[in-house]
Amino acid sequence: MELTSGFINLNKPSGISSAAAVSKIKRLTGLACGHMGTLDPLASGVLPVAFGNASRLFNYLLDKEKVYRAVFRFGTDTDTLDSAGEILKSGLPVPTEDKINNVLSKFVGEIEQVPPIYSAKSVGGVRAYRLARQGKEVELSAKRVTVHSLVLLGRLNETDYEFRISCGGGTYIRSLARDIAAACGTCAVMTSLVREKSGAFELSSSVTLEELTKENWRDFAVAPDAVFAMPVCDIVGKDAEKLRNGLKLTSDLADGEYKLYFDGAFYGIAAAENGTLRAKVKLV
């Protein structure tokens, strides 16, 4: 059966926005599309793109682990916290590997992090980056994020170090560069970022824009029920029709949410509560 809703595990190239990448997939598929977990234009790697109604599942995917490989340049500061921004400082001290390793533990676990002013955070209903580009002062509050692991992979040259970072959603890698450097008594910017994993989506199984065509894109489509874990309920016959029509069923399922199937075909998410079952999220 042909998928009408699902995901493309896109390997976004560096140099284009996430929105531009999604627009290209939308033109190929002819379907509504949306992306999860924006990657900056500088960054590349895993960008899950939903087509059809699969974007309705994003709320069930937001807290999944993300893994990045990043390069930080120490001794330089820019207004955007990456190498694409305007240089504010340069030639400052570059820490040793030992000095960096000595501070990394401070940034593992639940930490408070201030997002970059050039970010999509909303300030009074306006994106922070829009205000920053207008030269307006931007103040962003610290946000609690989770970093699962932070490993220094090695030194690339006199100023650049490579890291692997595993973290939860909402973590800004540019902010980590800034804060790690500050803990070492200097500054740093991000010069490269590759997202290697986002929940069930991994770089090793991703597809590039160049590989996708109008004729073959379905060959790379990922079924919507394959990307998250949840108990399953399969409803058959007239009961399936009742749920499809918005009615509730009497149920002995434990309270909670379930992957909902009708006669073996994935339909969406069901919610069980107080002895009843209803279709909560519909994909078809």
Side-chain angles (χ1 to χ4, degrees):
M1 183 171 143
E2 192 174 83
L3 277 180
T4 57
S5 293
F7 296 90
I8 298 293
N9 181 14
L10 180 67
N11 181 357
K12 186 191 86 67
S14 177
I16 68 170
S17 69
S18 295
V22 171
S23 291
K24 291 189 177 184
I25 293 182
K26 185 176 180 179
R27 288 195 293 273
L28 288 177
T29 64
L31 298 169
C33 293
H35 65 81
M36 183 183 71
T38 301
L39 280 175
D40 293 335
L42 174 71
S44 64
V46 173
L47 181 70
V49 178
F51 63 85
N53 292 327
S55 59
R56 296 177 184 177
L57 295 174
F58 278 164
N59 286 340
Y60 297 89
L61 309 177
L62 291 176
D63 294 330
K64 302 299 182 183
E65 178 192 20
K66 295 177 173 63
V67 177
Y68 295 92
R69 191 172 72 253
V71 177
F72 299 160
R73 177 165 297 156
F74 288 81
T76 298
D77 189 21
T78 69
D79 56 352
T80 59
L81 300 182
D82 62 25
S83 55
E86 181 180 343
I87 294 177
L88 304 176
K89 300 174 186 175
S90 62
L92 273 68
V94 176
T96 63
E97 282 192 58
D98 286 344
K99 191 166 188 178
I100 293 173
N101 276 319
N102 286 338
V103 306
L104 291 186
S105 62
K106 298 178 182 179
F107 303 97
V108 177
E110 284 197 0
I111 63 172
E112 293 285 329
Q113 183 186 76
V114 177
I117 61 170
Y118 281 86
S119 67
K121 287 294 180 185
S122 181
V123 180
V126 181
R127 300 292 188 188
Y129 67 82
R130 295 189 187 277
L131 296 173
R133 286 172 182 166
Q134 293 168 10
K136 296 180 179 178
E137 188 172 332
V138 179
E139 284 192 26
L140 295 174
S141 300
K143 180 185 176 185
R144 186 166 289 274
V145 299
T146 300
V147 177
H148 303 297
S149 66
L150 176 53
V151 179
L152 174 58
L153 298 177
R155 190 167 191 165
L156 302 181
N157 53 46
E158 289 185 0
T159 59
D160 295 4
Y161 288 90
E162 188 174 34
F163 298 80
R164 176 163 283 114
I165 302 137
S166 171
C167 58
T171 306
Y172 281 92
I173 307 302
R174 287 177 288 151
S175 291
L176 276 178
R178 174 198 63 203
D179 297 342
I180 291 168
C184 294
T186 187
C187 55
V189 296
M190 184 182 77
T191 63
S192 172
L193 183 68
V194 179
R195 184 153 65 196
E196 299 181 327
K197 184 177 187 292
S198 178
F201 303 94
E202 299 196 16
L203 190 61
S204 59
S205 57
S206 65
V207 59
T208 65
L209 287 171
E210 288 74 23
E211 292 175 287
L212 292 169
T213 68
K214 287 185 177 181
E215 293 73 32
N216 74 5
W217 70 267
R218 288 188 184 276
D219 296 338
F220 299 96
V222 180
D225 54 332
V227 300
F228 67 105
M230 188 178 284
V232 170
C233 66
D234 192 354
I235 309 298
V236 299
K238 292 181 179 179
D239 284 343
E241 280 304 307
K242 289 179 181 178
L243 287 181
R244 193 187 301 272
N245 292 327
L247 300 176
K248 292 183 179 181
L249 297 178
T250 300
S251 171
D252 58 1
L253 291 171
D255 286 1
E257 293 179 318
Y258 296 79
K259 291 183 182 179
L260 177 60
Y261 294 79
F262 290 159
D263 296 308
F266 183 60
Y267 182 74
I269 307 294
E273 185 177 13
N274 299 326
T276 64
L277 184 72
R278 65 182 174 88
K280 182 178 180 181
V281 178
K282 303 177 183 181
L283 264 66
V284 293

